[in-house]
Each structure stands twice: as structure tokens, then as C-alpha cells.
Amino acid sequence: MASNYWASSQAQYWTFTKQELEDIRHDLGSESPSLVGKWPLPELRHLSIYFHQQISKLAKRTSASQPIRQQALATAQVYVRRFYTKVEIRKTNPYLVMATAFYLACKMEESPQHIRLVVSEAHHQWPDLVMADISKLGECEFWLISEMNSQLILHHPYRSLSELQQTFALTTDEALLASSIINDHYLTDLPFLHAPHVMAITAIILAVTLRPNQANLQAHAAATSAVAVQNAMQAL
């Protein structure tokens, strides 16, 4: 089951339409109108960028002893987004949630970090927002797992990209650009809206389209030279 995306909990319970996501978030806000009115939040896309930056910083702080896989960071981002489809963000400490999602994601992606290390680095990164108390992160971990109904296995586009790289004879640069595009798609709702292989193919198309090939570079250079010569002639 875990290797089959279509039979996975991700496909069955965590894939939505745009309207369904909008309704879910609207209903969450409707449950606590006083909180929503008292504490306005930035746009969701801005929050997503901020969360991504903060999780990445935490990963860098904890990677001195063991490098953190990019897939673990992607999993942590998805865990945060899933959690906040079930819980109103104003009722939580987002910094503790981010630290907990990172800790849990590292365990699930087989690059575990010691809970004391994660708590210590999170406390140093957000000294006024995260207590140096491992019990708080442990409690939050159970909360995340509960809200996600223990559905923690994720299918990412990276595997499909790796398999399709040889099929489509992608260059190293094209594969790296496609991987970067996949990294960026976690800043959006796309992981909730489309299957991983669809995102991998989309990233490949964008990478091949956006990356200038040698012929285009030569044509651009020739055109630039022609314009330069024409400008020089006019100057004379």
C-alpha cells in the first residue's frame, strides 16, 4: 500500500479541489470569528514562504552532525499545511508546530534527529517562542499525528523525476532545475491538488522550456552582436 500512490492515504484523504480547500479554511475561520477578527494574518502564500524559510533555517542548524535530506524538509512543509487544515493557526504556537513537524518528518524520512537537539536548536532560533522543554515538543508531536490521523507516509515528485530523467534524456542542468521547481511547489497548495507524478512531469516541462539550450544562446549572442554593430554604425 505504501508504494502505491493511488491506494495511499495521500490520494484518498489528502487530495482536494481548490474549492474544497477554500471551504475547509473558511470553516476553520468561522469556528473562531473573534480570534480571526482580533489577529489578522498575512496571505497564506506569504505565510507558506515564511514557514519554509524558518524550517530551512532550523534544518541548517541541526545538520552539523548529519545532513538533512531535501525530502525531509518537503515532508515537514506538508505536515504543517495538513495540520493547519484541521486546526486554526491562531490557537497554536506555529514555531513549536514547525519544530515538531521537522522532527517528525526527519523520523519518517529516515534521517532522524535527536529530540534534545531539535528542541535546543529551535529554542536558540526562536528563544522567546519555543521553550527548551522536550516534553512540549513530544506533546505537540502526538497532536500532529492525531490531527493527521496517523497518515504520515508521503509520496513526493522526486522519485518520479528520478525515474523520468533517463526516459526523457534530461541533462543534469535540466534535472536540477526540475528538482528546484518541485522544491518551490511546496510553497503552494499544489501538493494537495495534484498527484506527485503530475507535478514531476510539469516540472520537467518547465525545466526544458525555461532552460535556454545552446542554439538559443548562440542565436541570442548573434542578435546581440548585430545590435551592437548597428548601434556603432549609427554612432559614426
Side-chain angles (χ1 to χ4, degrees):
M1 287 293 186
S3 62
N4 182 354
Y5 166 76
W6 300 109
S8 69
S9 60
Q10 182 175 340
Q12 295 182 24
Y13 304 109
W14 295 103
T15 301
F16 310 98
T17 65
K18 289 184 178 180
Q19 187 59 51
E20 287 173 340
L21 272 179
E22 185 178 338
D23 292 342
I24 289 170
R25 289 164 179 159
H26 179 269
D27 291 343
L28 278 179
S30 300
E31 293 175 0
S32 307
S34 59
L35 281 178
V36 173
K38 185 177 181 181
W39 305 106
L41 295 176
E43 291 184 28
L44 179 60
R45 61 193 180 95
H46 295 158
L47 272 178
S48 298
I49 294 172
Y50 180 72
F51 287 164
H52 165 71
Q53 292 173 340
Q54 295 301 307
I55 293 173
S56 297
K57 287 180 180 179
L58 180 59
K60 289 179 181 178
R61 296 183 67 97
T62 59
S63 62
S65 59
Q66 179 181 354
I68 307 299
R69 297 171 57 199
Q70 176 60 40
Q71 187 161 311
L73 297 182
T75 296
Q77 289 176 261
V78 174
Y79 283 173
V80 171
R81 297 181 78 86
R82 282 187 177 186
F83 181 72
Y84 284 130
T85 63
K86 295 293 191 72
V87 179
E88 167 57 46
I89 187 172
R90 296 169 182 85
K91 296 180 179 180
T92 71
N93 178 348
Y95 298 91
L96 178 59
V97 170
M98 284 188 283
T100 305
F102 170 74
Y103 171 69
L104 181 58
C106 285
K107 288 201 294 186
M108 292 303 299
E109 298 299 342
E110 299 181 355
S111 54
Q113 301 295 313
H114 198 285
I115 188 171
R116 292 187 182 278
L117 174 63
V118 175
V119 170
S120 174
E121 295 301 339
H123 176 65
H124 283 92
Q125 182 167 325
W126 309 300
D128 299 327
L129 299 164
V130 176
M131 298 174 59
D133 183 354
I134 61 173
S135 66
K136 296 297 182 183
L137 191 142
E139 292 172 4
C140 191
E141 180 184 11
F142 282 110
W143 192 13
L144 258 71
I145 294 172
S146 175
E147 293 296 342
M148 291 189 290
N149 299 317
S150 300
Q151 296 160 351
L152 305 178
I153 296 176
L154 297 185
H155 294 255
H156 292 284
Y158 301 111
R159 180 177 179 181
S160 296
L161 174 61
S162 178
E163 294 173 349
L164 293 173
Q165 182 175 356
Q166 293 184 345
T167 302
F168 293 123
L170 299 179
T171 65
T172 301
D173 287 344
E174 289 168 343
L176 288 175
L177 181 54
S179 180
S180 179
I181 292 170
I182 290 173
N183 294 344
D184 289 343
H185 102 288
Y186 288 103
L187 303 178
T188 72
D189 285 332
L190 288 173
F192 283 157
L193 302 175
H194 302 289
H197 65 275
V198 173
M199 297 313 307
I201 293 172
T202 303
I204 290 171
I205 293 173
L206 289 173
V208 173
T209 302
L210 297 176
R211 181 176 177 270
N213 56 35
Q214 191 62 32
N216 288 341
L217 289 175
Q218 291 174 350
H220 177 72
T224 303
S225 298
V227 171
V229 171
Q230 183 178 4
N231 290 339
M233 293 294 292
Q234 291 176 350
L236 296 175

